[in-house]
Amino acid sequence: MQDWERELFARELDGFVPPRVFDSHAHLYRRVFFRNAAPALVEEGPEAGLETYLRNAADLLPGRRISGLFFGYPHEELDLPANNAFVASEARRDPLSRAQMLVTPGMDAGEIHETVRRQGFVGLKCYHVYASEKPTFQAAIPSYLPEEQVRVAHEAGLTITLHMVRPRAMADPSNQEVLRTWAARYPNARFILAHAARGFNPHHTVEGIGALRGLRNIWCDTSAVTDGGAFEAIVRALGADRLLYGSDFPVSQMRGRCVAIGDSFLWLSAENTRFEAAYADLRPALIGLESLRVLKLACFHLRLKDTEIENIFYCNAAVLFSLE
Ligand SMILES: [Zn+2]
């Protein structure tokens, strides 16, 4: 963090973030696991093991005891078995941290069961870039998370971190239908809907999250959401015990914001935006900070008790992952 960001944290967030934090959405990787090309983010910080993560997390959340749920950074060029083994061994170094296995739709049930057992994964992480349906941003959930893999999660009691796509995400009837059906059919599979049910445009989550009301095996993480409204909608529809703090490290370390624009959203960063204004010294802050500010506002609007806020940052995950 830069000095002015430290001051912002001290002023706005130090009194809000509880002492114990479980980060339910963080990526670990090494540059060498990406074959020909790696995402720009990875090029900036080529080694992201547990130590790098904890150093960055301590910079964002000074003085907190931090552990997390880790998984690879999904990418077409990633060597999945190598990255999965790395994430598993990094997570094993901390008794309060856990790892998820990055899966592609082509993996069969036996392979997943065996890898989960051998490496001690507590869940699965799927991603649309591996869908056969193109363009993958339009993909229906089963094309990047086959039902057979949900059955594996049910049999082994695994979580599944799911970053939904399709333009309207949670407001899309086909996404709602698949989730409702599978959550009921596979009660031991525990879904974690990433990015506030991909509420980068909060109105999509506000519109659609009610479709999941009453399903007790669905949670949402807060990762990289920097526009207001989605967290409140989740707590109202599913309960404060269903929201999990997440940073989306290393995305948390970039500067900018994702904002709703019309019926979609846009990531604003120095690459696509001139942060200049006559009235101010305009400087984008870390996405990790912006997301915490939005979470603080949501807790304020919902009049959550301190214990409920502590649950969002730690205890909800502690129950989900049997941390102690
Ligand atoms: Zn992520």
Side-chain angles (χ1 to χ4, degrees):
M1 279 203 281
Q2 296 170 352
D3 285 345
W4 73 276
E5 290 170 315
R6 260 182 215 107
E7 285 159 23
L8 187 153
F9 182 88
R11 209 166 48 231
E12 297 185 19
L13 296 166
D14 202 29
F16 167 66
V17 180
R20 283 192 305 183
V21 174
F22 186 88
D23 180 349
S24 290
H25 188 136
H27 301 274
L28 299 186
Y29 47 82
R30 295 177 65 199
R31 172 63 183 91
V32 291
F33 299 145
F34 295 85
R35 286 175 285 254
N36 299 314
L41 255 167
V42 172
E43 297 289 4
E44 278 165 31
E47 293 283 328
L50 184 67
E51 233 164 81
T52 308
Y53 165 79
L54 287 173
R55 190 168 4 95
N56 281 276
D59 187 47
L60 185 68
L61 302 170
R64 272 64 181 181
R65 195 196 79 186
I66 302 166
S67 57
L69 175 66
F70 302 110
F71 37 86
Y73 196 99
H75 191 272
E76 297 95 324
E77 291 289 324
L78 183 67
D79 176 346
L80 267 75
N83 205 116
N84 278 334
F86 173 70
V87 170
S89 75
E90 291 297 286
R92 271 197 296 272
R93 296 167 52 199
D94 172 18
L96 293 179
S97 287
R98 299 290 184 266
Q100 281 184 332
M101 176 186 176
L102 190 56
V103 290
T104 62
M107 290 180 182
D108 70 43
E111 178 187 0
I112 296 173
H113 265 305
E114 194 275 322
T115 309
V116 162
R117 229 185 347 257
R118 185 162 41 84
Q119 311 260 33
F121 288 113
V122 298
L124 310 177
K125 162 71 178 169
C126 57
Y127 203 56
H128 69 91
V129 293
Y130 301 116
S132 50
E133 200 180 328
K134 309 287 178 202
T136 67
F137 275 114
Q138 298 288 340
I141 295 169
S143 72
Y144 52 99
L145 176 65
E147 183 168 352
E148 191 191 40
Q149 296 183 358
V150 181
R151 187 174 49 75
V152 171
H154 169 71
E155 289 163 357
L158 305 174
T159 50
I160 302 173
T161 293
L162 172 65
H163 170 154
M164 266 180 282
V165 286
R166 298 184 61 75
R168 308 192 76 245
M170 194 67 252
D172 186 289
S174 73
N175 283 340
Q176 293 174 9
E177 175 61 23
V178 169
L179 277 173
R180 260 204 317 264
T181 305
W182 287 357
R185 191 175 294 163
Y186 304 103
N188 293 328
R190 279 99 51 94
F191 294 91
I192 301 172
L193 307 182
H195 316 300
R198 213 223 57 191
F200 290 137
N201 180 325
H203 306 287
H204 296 153
T205 297
V206 169
E207 183 180 321
I209 195 72
L212 306 181
R213 202 182 294 270
L215 294 166
R216 294 300 288 167
N217 53 340
I218 293 188
W219 286 257
C220 298
D221 75 43
T222 66
S223 63
V225 169
T226 60
D227 205 348
F231 301 153
E232 288 92 327
I234 289 162
V235 169
R236 287 202 184 98
L238 308 182
D241 59 339
R242 302 284 117 180
L243 193 60
L244 308 170
Y245 167 73
S247 72
D248 208 8
F249 171 84
V251 176
S252 52
Q253 306 309 116
M254 298 167 68
R255 292 188 167 82
R257 272 190 71 193
C258 186
V259 295
I261 305 276
D263 201 32
S264 189
F265 57 86
L266 183 67
W267 284 94
L268 303 178
S269 71
E271 269 105 75
N272 65 2
T273 307
R274 280 173 56 195
F275 291 112
E276 288 175 22
Y279 50 84
D281 174 16
L282 194 59
R283 284 177 289 185
L286 291 178
I287 288 168
L289 283 178
E290 297 284 15
S291 187
L292 285 165
R293 295 169 104 180
V294 167
L295 180 56
K296 181 188 171 186
L297 268 187
C299 295
F300 176 76
H301 290 149
L302 291 159
R303 295 191 169 82
L304 294 191
K305 300 193 222 39
D306 286 352
T307 51
E308 290 171 306
I309 296 171
E310 287 160 14
N311 293 348
I312 289 168
F313 276 94
Y314 188 80
C315 304
N316 293 345
V319 172
L320 181 55
F321 297 110
S322 310
L323 293 188
E324 41 210 332

